């Protein structure tokens, strides 16, 4: 068990990619704090992880757009488990539109959750990590933060900004042995892609060299690697998990 007794905080951890990451970490012995705005769903996921992997879990309602909520989240995790070893900034939303039609509210909402949310959570956990002189922060970025995407100016900007935040934090925290890395998923089978028609999915698969959409577990395995001891000399990097769609 590579992560036995370590404590992992996963935002947006109640479902989708976040849930898959929480399960992968729990499978290696980590104690898991499932943090999500959907409190009931977070509790359900935390219960499932505890039953499946026999690890301690905690379900917390957290609004990552609010600094005080993130501070409270970090405080409760430390009260329950005594430490924080891993933070996965996974919480994210989309509000797609063309630039000429995008409202200020659509822009602000996505930037607040995807970019400011990661900043708030990172700030909340970095002090305890600095005191223990160890930690891993994993930011879930996106392929569109690297290549852009029509109709997703807000989402692309938030994820591009998250990549820059990843690299800056890696430089700032390295002296305290806190490693900060990102994962840039391509098109993954989640609630977002379930809304696509079969024809749209086929067109997407056709432009991916591996000719398929990814699974949440594909992203989770990359997160597990970055959280574990085998990545101890890697920081400030972004791992693309996209089937070769963007190289």
């Amino acid at each position: 068990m590579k992560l036995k007794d370590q404590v992992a905080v996963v935002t947006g951890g109640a479902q989708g990619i976040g849930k898959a990451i929480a399960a992968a970490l729990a499978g290696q012995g980590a104690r898991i704090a499932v943090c999500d705005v959907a409190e009931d769903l977070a509790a359900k996921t935390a219960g499932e992880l505890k039953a499946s992997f026999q690890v301690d879990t905690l379900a917390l309602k957290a609004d990552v757009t609010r600094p005080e909520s993130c501070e409270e989240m970090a405080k409760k995790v430390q009260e329950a488990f005594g430490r924080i070893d891993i933070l996965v900034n996974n919480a994210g939303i989309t509000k797609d539109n063309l630039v000429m039609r995008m409202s200020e509210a659509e822009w602000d909402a996505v930037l607040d959750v995807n970019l400011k949310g990661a900043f708030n959570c990172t700030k909340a956990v970095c002090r305890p990590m600095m005191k223990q002189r160890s930690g891993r922060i994993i930011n879930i970025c996106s392929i569109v933060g690297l290549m852009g995407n029509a109709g997703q100016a807000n989402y692309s900007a938030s994820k591009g900004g998250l990549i820059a935040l990843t690299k800056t934090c890696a430089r700032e925290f390295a002296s305290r042995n806190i490693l900060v890395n990102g994962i840039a998923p391509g098109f993954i089978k989640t609630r977002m892609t379930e809304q696509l028609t079969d024809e749209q999915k086929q067109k997407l698969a056709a432009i991916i060299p591996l000719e398929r959409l990814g699974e949440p577990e594909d992203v989770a395995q990359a997160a597990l690697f970055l959280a574990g001891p085998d990545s101890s000399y890697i920081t400030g990097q972004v791992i693309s998990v996209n089937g070769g769609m963007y190289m």
Side-chain angles (χ1 to χ4, degrees), residues 1-8 24-32 53-56 81 83 85-86 224 227-229:
M1 293 254 181
K2 293 182 177 182
L3 302 177
K4 184 172 173 56
D5 297 328
Q6 291 196 37
V7 176
L25 301 180
Q28 287 297 318
R31 294 172 284 176
I32 307 293
F53 301 106
Q54 288 77 54
V55 296
D56 293 330
F81 296 137
R83 59 189 293 119
D85 299 288
I86 301 159
L224 179 59

Side-chain angles (χ1 to χ4, degrees), residues 33-78:
V34 180
C35 305
D36 206 288
V37 290
E39 189 172 14
D40 291 346
L41 201 53
K44 181 175 181 290
T45 295
E48 291 173 355
L49 295 175
K50 185 171 185 176
S52 296
F53 301 106
Q54 288 77 54
V55 296
D56 293 330
T57 62
L58 179 67
L60 294 173
K61 182 175 182 178
D63 179 353
V64 298
T65 68
R66 296 171 51 238
E68 61 272 21
S69 179
C70 299
E71 292 289 347
E72 184 67 15
M73 174 188 73
K75 179 182 177 183
K76 287 181 177 178
V77 173
Q78 290 176 88

Side-chain angles (χ1 to χ4, degrees), residues 188-241:
I188 307 297
K189 293 179 183 177
T190 63
R191 283 187 310 151
M192 293 180 191
T193 55
E194 283 173 5
Q195 297 171 9
L196 300 174
T197 66
D198 288 341
E199 183 181 359
Q200 288 173 321
K201 290 176 184 177
Q202 289 171 2
K203 286 182 178 179
L204 273 179
I207 61 174
I208 299 171
L210 290 185
E211 299 180 346
R212 65 176 178 87
L213 274 64
E215 301 287 346
E217 290 73 21
D218 294 322
V219 182
Q221 288 303 306
L224 179 59
F225 168 70
L226 291 174
D230 296 332
S231 62
S232 63
Y233 198 56
I234 298 174
T235 195
Q237 305 304 307
V238 178
I239 297 178
S240 291
V241 182

Side-chain angles (χ1 to χ4, degrees), residues 63-71 73-74 87 89 112-113 115-126 165:
D63 179 353
V64 298
T65 68
R66 296 171 51 238
E68 61 272 21
S69 179
C70 299
E71 292 289 347
M73 174 188 73
L87 168 66
N89 281 314
D112 278 353
V113 175
L115 183 54
K116 183 181 177 183
F119 166 76
N120 287 338
C121 293
T122 298
K123 191 171 181 181
V125 308
C126 69
L165 179 65

